[in-house]
Amino acid sequence: MEQKTLGATGPATSAIGLGCMGFSQAYGPADDEVSAAVIRDALDHGITLIDTAMSYGRGHNETLVGRAIAGRRDEVVLATKFGIVRGEDGTRLDGRPEKVRGYCEASLRRLGTDHIDLYYLHRVDPDVPVADTVGAMADLVAAGKVRHLGLSEVDPAQLGQAAAVHPIAAVQFEWSLAWREAEDDVVPAARRAGAGLVPYSPLGRGLLTGTLPAGPFSVGDFRRADPRFSPEHLPANLALVRALAEVAAAHGVTPGQLALAWLLARGPDVVPIPGTRSRRRVAENAAAAGIRLAEADLAALDAAVPREGWRGDRTSFAAHGTVRTR
């Protein structure tokens, strides 16, 4: 697979990564053995960026990833995140500098490794200046526990404050054909800071694959509460998905592959991390890295699936920019 470099001095990684959250939460129950097989299949298909977080399943996800990559650690650009703490008393943010090392060391134990290639602040703690948190993260780089630093769901001001303390290799945020609000602020700010762009939910939480489950979402599937999937907005969004499917068919690819190719065409600094619990789908996603779209293709796609046609705001915990701006 084509390789890209995240940020001015960040890690070299596959053009497409694998987001692992769904193996532990958000989309209902998952089978650990199947999940581990999907991760290994991703490596077999040339996907090297494996993205997890300490909050996913309250540590379960990191343990699962660690087991799946055992014996293949040198093939992986391993990314994890801290700052969202889930417990019996609910979910909170914690970016206190004195806690950063402990969170990192706990992640290292669960992952079964001695270093993290890309360590993200998952969300900025509103009670702690982001520069202070990043300063503690920089100490982990100096200690050899972490190779590169990243930020997730930050606004441009927070990114600037963080980058003044230590180079930021990657900024992670939701970005897809169906959610383009980050193009107004986060994308240009990240490029000014020399950070790579790592879109999560690049398939619109499954919407852009054209294969949503029939009937209501299952218990535990967080799309049940996402406005984009509500009865009020879903019909209009599905009409756009049908238009996407028509364009994809003309290219001889699936709607999901075309959606990923669209993101990859937005610049050499873009590395989307689609998640999947399907071994077939991970192969399909990996193949999208080989699709090349010309400027005329992008213009035709924008005409068929216009940004202003999508309906509904997004739901994401403590995230920047959850309301549509156009």
Side-chain angles (χ1 to χ4, degrees), residues 4 13 15 29 31-32 76 96 100 115 117 130 150 197 241-242 265 272 306 308 316:
K4 296 189 175 186
T13 180
D31 182 289
D32 280 359
V76 177
R96 290 173 292 170
V100 172
H115 72 280
D117 297 300
V130 67
L197 309 175
V241 173
R242 289 192 291 271
E308 60 272 16
S316 187

Coordinates of all heavy atoms in Angstrom, one line a residue, residues 4 13 15 29 31-32 76 96 100 115 117 130 150 197 241-242 265 272 306 308 316:
K4 N 2.4 7.2 3.5 CA 2.4 8.6 3.7 C 3.1 8.9 5.0 O 3.3 8.0 5.9 CB 0.9 9.1 3.8 CG 0.1 8.9 2.6 CD -1.2 9.6 2.7 CE -2.0 9.6 1.3 NZ -3.2 10.4 1.4
T13 N 3.3 5.9 7.4 CA 2.2 4.9 7.7 C 1.5 4.6 6.4 O 1.7 5.3 5.4 CB 1.2 5.5 8.7 OG1 0.2 4.6 8.9 CG2 0.6 6.8 8.2
A15 N -1.5 4.5 3.7 CA -2.4 5.6 3.3 C -3.8 5.4 4.0 O -4.5 6.4 4.2 CB -2.6 5.5 1.8
P29 N -22.5 -5.5 20.6 CA -21.6 -6.5 21.0 C -20.7 -6.9 19.8 O -21.1 -6.9 18.7 CB -22.5 -7.7 21.4 CG -23.8 -7.1 21.8 CD -23.9 -5.9 20.9
D31 N -17.3 -9.9 18.7 CA -16.6 -11.1 19.1 C -15.1 -10.8 19.1 O -14.6 -10.4 18.0 CB -17.0 -12.2 18.0 CG -16.3 -13.5 18.3 OD1 -15.1 -13.6 18.2 OD2 -17.1 -14.4 18.7
D32 N -14.5 -11.1 20.2 CA -13.0 -10.8 20.3 C -12.2 -11.5 19.3 O -11.2 -11.0 18.8 CB -12.5 -11.0 21.7 CG -12.9 -9.9 22.7 OD1 -13.5 -8.9 22.3 OD2 -12.5 -10.1 23.9
V76 N 3.6 -2.5 12.7 CA 2.5 -1.6 13.2 C 3.0 -0.2 13.5 O 4.0 -0.1 14.2 CB 1.8 -2.2 14.4 CG1 0.7 -1.3 14.9 CG2 1.2 -3.6 14.0
R96 N -4.7 16.3 33.3 CA -3.7 16.8 34.3 C -2.3 16.3 34.0 O -2.1 15.1 33.8 CB -4.2 16.4 35.7 CG -5.4 17.1 36.2 CD -5.9 16.5 37.5 NE -6.4 15.2 37.3 CZ -6.7 14.3 38.4 NH1 -6.5 14.8 39.6 NH2 -7.1 13.1 38.1
V100 N -0.5 12.1 33.2 CA -0.2 11.7 31.9 C 0.7 10.4 31.8 O 0.4 9.5 31.1 CB 0.4 12.8 31.0 CG1 0.9 12.3 29.7 CG2 -0.6 13.9 30.9
H115 N 6.7 1.0 23.6 CA 6.6 2.3 23.1 C 5.3 2.5 22.3 O 4.8 1.5 21.8 CB 7.8 2.8 22.3 CG 7.9 2.1 21.0 ND1 8.3 0.8 20.8 CD2 7.5 2.5 19.7 CE1 8.3 0.5 19.5 NE2 7.7 1.5 18.8
D117 N 3.8 4.6 19.1 CA 4.3 5.4 17.9 C 3.6 6.7 17.8 O 4.2 7.7 17.5 CB 4.0 4.6 16.6 CG 4.8 3.3 16.6 OD1 6.1 3.3 16.7 OD2 4.2 2.2 16.6
V130 N -4.1 23.3 27.5 CA -3.7 22.2 26.6 C -2.1 22.2 26.6 O -1.5 21.2 26.4 CB -4.3 22.3 25.3 CG1 -3.9 23.5 24.5 CG2 -4.0 21.0 24.4
G150 N 0.0 13.5 19.1 CA -1.2 13.9 18.3 C -2.3 14.5 19.2 O -2.2 14.4 20.4
L197 N -3.4 14.8 8.8 CA -4.9 14.8 9.0 C -5.3 13.3 9.1 O -5.1 12.6 8.1 CB -5.6 15.5 7.9 CG -5.1 16.9 7.6 CD1 -5.8 17.5 6.3 CD2 -5.3 17.8 8.7
V241 N -26.8 9.1 -0.4 CA -26.0 7.8 -0.5 C -26.4 7.1 -1.8 O -25.5 6.5 -2.4 CB -26.3 6.9 0.8 CG1 -25.7 5.5 0.6 CG2 -25.8 7.6 2.0
R242 N -27.6 7.1 -2.2 CA -28.0 6.5 -3.5 C -27.3 7.2 -4.6 O -26.8 6.5 -5.6 CB -29.5 6.5 -3.6 CG -30.2 5.5 -2.7 CD -31.7 5.4 -3.1 NE -32.5 6.6 -2.8 CZ -33.1 6.8 -1.7 NH1 -33.0 6.0 -0.6 NH2 -33.8 8.0 -1.5
A265 N -7.9 11.9 -1.9 CA -7.6 12.8 -2.9 C -7.6 14.3 -2.4 O -7.2 15.2 -3.1 CB -8.7 12.8 -4.0
P272 N -7.1 8.4 6.4 CA -8.4 8.0 7.1 C -8.2 6.7 7.8 O -7.4 5.8 7.4 CB -9.4 7.9 6.0 CG -8.6 7.7 4.7 CD -7.3 8.4 5.0
P306 N -23.6 17.0 -2.9 CA -23.2 18.3 -2.4 C -23.2 18.3 -0.8 O -24.0 17.7 -0.2 CB -24.2 19.2 -2.9 CG -25.5 18.4 -3.1 CD -25.0 17.0 -3.5
E308 N -24.0 20.7 1.1 CA -25.2 21.3 1.7 C -26.4 20.4 1.7 O -27.4 20.8 2.3 CB -25.5 22.7 1.0 CG -25.8 22.5 -0.5 CD -24.6 22.6 -1.4 OE1 -23.4 22.5 -0.8 OE2 -24.7 22.8 -2.6
S316 N -20.9 13.6 19.4 CA -19.6 13.1 19.7 C -19.1 13.7 21.1 O -19.3 15.0 21.2 CB -18.5 13.5 18.6 OG -17.3 12.9 18.9

